[in-house]
Amino acid sequence: MSEITHRKKRLSSFKLIVLGFAGVILLGALILMLPFSSTAGVVTPFHEALFTSTSAVCVTGLVVQDTGSYWSAFGQTVILLMIQIGGLGVVTVAAFFAMLSGRKISLMQRSTMQDAISAPKVGGIVRLTRFIVRGTFLIELIGMIVMLPTFCGNFGIKGIWMAAFHSISAFCNAGFDILGTAENKYPSLTGYIGEPTINIAIMLLIIVGGIGFLTWDDIYTNKWHFKKYRMQSKVILVTTAILIIAPAVFFFFCDFTGLPLAERILASLFQSVTPRTAGFNTADLPAMTGSSKAIMILLMLVGGSPGSTAGGMKTTTLAVLILSAFSVCCKKDDVEVCGRRIDGSAVKNAAAVAVMYFLLFFVGGIVISTAEGLPLSTCLYETASAVGTVGLTLGITPQLGVLSQLILIVLMYLGRVGGLTLIYAAISNKNQSGAKLPLENITVG
């Protein structure tokens, strides 16, 4: 009987999160349709408003209308609020407001909060949620202050809004920018390719937002004592470092050869960090080599880490799959890291998550390529960006037909919410696997 009750609670948590995301997306789309949401004062077609709303709540960054020139100050504010809600998570935001109002958080609500941020246990979940929200606002404020002199120098008093918008967008790994004008649409951060302050600030915000809230807690609690970190935090930090450094070295030698050394280093690092679900770019992406684009597709599919503002398969999924492959090559019965065994259910879940993302990415690319008559490689770049909730594009998004836009909407939603289904399955399996496995709390998907 208790097992049935437990399953119902898990299902209720899942439904709440899925419907919560859908509700915010729909509400945002209806608001963005209003005439005062656009600079021209016209009603935005529903499919365009829905695309923008989905992209914002799913912290993707793909757009069919230039954010800076098409949307009014009100529309941009609505988009920013949706980015913030999508980055933190609907449940986390709702729980924080409940705490502010002084309401008591029930056990069921705590369980839902646990699922939403991929926490290993219910105990201390209220403290962790409060820590996450406060930490988020503090980091975004610091990012805003750092970028303020540069943006104010370029835009005057409007630079305050610019700094705030891009700080939140970067931390939430959304990739929305408001630098576009009627004459220069969809520029992203290409005008700041050699500006170290903006580059470094955006990169750090992306990385901090993408490593996961539990990793924050480990760093905050244990400081520089790496050995005391949770095994999951160790895996996340090591995998993240490799996924930043290795592609950056490749980009440095294969792209940007015409830039001065300092700009070349910044461009290589930035284009290595941003595919991890952030969506900003400082370089001309279509001009990059085919090999570099292929690497960026893989980075987009991997994404960030569990319980973070980022999307994608997650770094832990990649790490578990690679460790599993090594165990097979070494003819070992168990998957191990640092002498500790990874639960078999985590390996199965990692494989399921990877298959799901690759199928969505590949099938979506084929359908869009067929519908639009575009090269498959270009469309695969687009679908990888959508399902990984990244936001990078080779420039085809605004020209896509309604069918292709709807496909991207579905991919963005599944990329953000579909992975949660597998997270809950992993947590459920974990709780049945026994406490003797040191890595039983590795979260994938």
Side-chain angles (χ1 to χ4, degrees), residues 154-427:
N154 293 335
F155 299 98
I157 193 69
K158 187 182 177 183
I160 298 174
W161 174 239
M162 290 281 189
F165 190 100
H166 292 98
S167 179
I168 294 172
S169 182
F171 175 79
C172 291
N173 280 228
F176 277 80
D177 72 274
I178 51 173
L179 295 167
T181 62
E183 297 75 27
N184 180 29
K185 295 181 178 181
Y186 316 109
S188 193
L189 297 174
T190 51
Y192 294 90
I193 187 170
E195 215 292 321
T197 303
I198 299 298
N199 275 260
I200 294 171
I202 294 289
M203 283 192 286
L204 288 177
L205 286 166
I206 292 169
I207 293 169
V208 173
I211 60 175
F213 302 130
L214 290 177
T215 307
W216 287 12
D217 191 47
D218 251 344
I219 295 172
Y220 179 76
T221 303
N222 299 303
K223 304 299 186 293
W224 299 106
H225 301 291
F226 188 73
K227 291 183 178 180
K228 294 182 179 180
Y229 289 7
R230 298 180 184 91
M231 187 55 67
Q232 175 164 301
S233 298
K234 294 178 182 178
V235 170
I236 286 171
L237 291 172
V238 171
T239 306
T240 298
I242 293 172
L243 290 176
I244 291 173
I245 295 170
V249 172
F250 184 88
F251 296 155
F252 180 84
F253 288 105
C254 294
D255 300 273
F256 317 126
T257 52
L259 297 176
L261 180 60
E263 287 188 19
R264 190 176 176 185
I265 293 172
L266 284 176
S268 300
L269 279 171
F270 197 95
Q271 267 55 237
S272 178
V273 170
T274 194
R276 307 286 309 294
T277 86
F280 292 109
N281 62 284
T282 57
D284 181 12
L285 298 180
M288 295 182 72
T289 62
S291 300
S292 296
K293 292 174 187 174
I295 290 174
M296 293 183 83
I297 286 175
L298 291 176
L299 291 174
M300 288 192 283
L301 289 173
V302 173
S305 302
S308 71
T309 62
M313 292 190 306
K314 305 296 186 290
T315 52
T316 48
T317 301
L318 177 66
V320 168
L321 289 175
I322 292 175
L323 291 169
S324 177
F326 271 115
S327 69
V328 172
C329 293
C330 298
K331 297 182 179 180
K332 292 183 178 180
D333 294 330
D334 299 315
V335 181
E336 298 180 354
V337 58
C338 300
R340 296 184 178 182
R341 183 161 70 96
I342 298 178
D343 185 8
S345 65
V347 179
K348 292 178 182 178
N349 290 327
V353 170
V355 169
M356 180 194 77
Y357 274 90
F358 274 104
L359 278 177
L360 290 171
F361 145 73
F362 194 65
V363 173
I366 290 176
V367 174
I368 292 177
S369 177
T370 303
E372 303 290 337
L374 294 169
L376 179 60
S377 59
T378 303
C379 296
L380 288 176
Y381 194 99
E382 198 81 3
T383 53
S385 181
V387 78
T389 68
V390 181
L392 294 178
T393 178
L394 297 179
I396 68 171
T397 312
Q399 285 77 46
L400 294 177
V402 176
L403 173 62
S404 298
Q405 288 181 22
L406 290 176
I407 291 171
L408 292 180
I409 287 171
V410 171
L411 290 178
M412 287 188 288
Y413 184 74
L414 291 178
R416 181 65 173 158
V417 177
L420 292 174
T421 308
L422 296 172
I423 286 175
Y424 299 146
I427 293 175

Side-chain angles (χ1 to χ4, degrees), residues 113-126:
M113 291 160 62
Q114 176 196 4
D115 289 343
I117 60 177
S118 304
K121 58 183 180 180
V122 176
I125 198 68
V126 174

Side-chain angles (χ1 to χ4, degrees), residues 66-211:
D66 179 64
T67 311
S69 61
Y70 182 85
W71 301 106
S72 65
F74 175 80
Q76 291 174 11
T77 303
V78 171
I79 290 171
L80 191 62
L81 287 174
M82 288 191 289
I83 289 172
Q84 188 72 87
I85 292 171
L88 282 172
V90 176
V91 172
T92 303
V93 173
F96 181 69
F97 279 109
M99 285 185 277
L100 284 180
S101 66
R103 287 172 51 193
K104 187 176 181 180
I105 308 298
S106 68
L107 183 60
M108 177 61 195
Q109 290 170 326
R110 291 169 191 259
S111 177
T112 305
M113 291 160 62
Q114 176 196 4
D115 289 343
I117 60 177
S118 304
K121 58 183 180 180
V122 176
I125 198 68
V126 174
R127 179 202 65 81
L128 182 59
T129 301
R130 190 179 291 113
F131 168 75
I132 289 169
V133 176
R134 289 176 177 174
T136 294
F137 292 151
L138 177 61
I139 293 167
E140 289 172 347
L141 178 61
I142 293 172
M144 172 188 168
I145 293 172
V146 170
M147 292 187 285
L148 204 56
T150 302
F151 281 124
C152 284
N154 293 335
F155 299 98
I157 193 69
K158 187 182 177 183
I160 298 174
W161 174 239
M162 290 281 189
F165 190 100
H166 292 98
S167 179
I168 294 172
S169 182
F171 175 79
C172 291
N173 280 228
F176 277 80
D177 72 274
I178 51 173
L179 295 167
T181 62
E183 297 75 27
N184 180 29
K185 295 181 178 181
Y186 316 109
S188 193
L189 297 174
T190 51
Y192 294 90
I193 187 170
E195 215 292 321
T197 303
I198 299 298
N199 275 260
I200 294 171
I202 294 289
M203 283 192 286
L204 288 177
L205 286 166
I206 292 169
I207 293 169
V208 173
I211 60 175

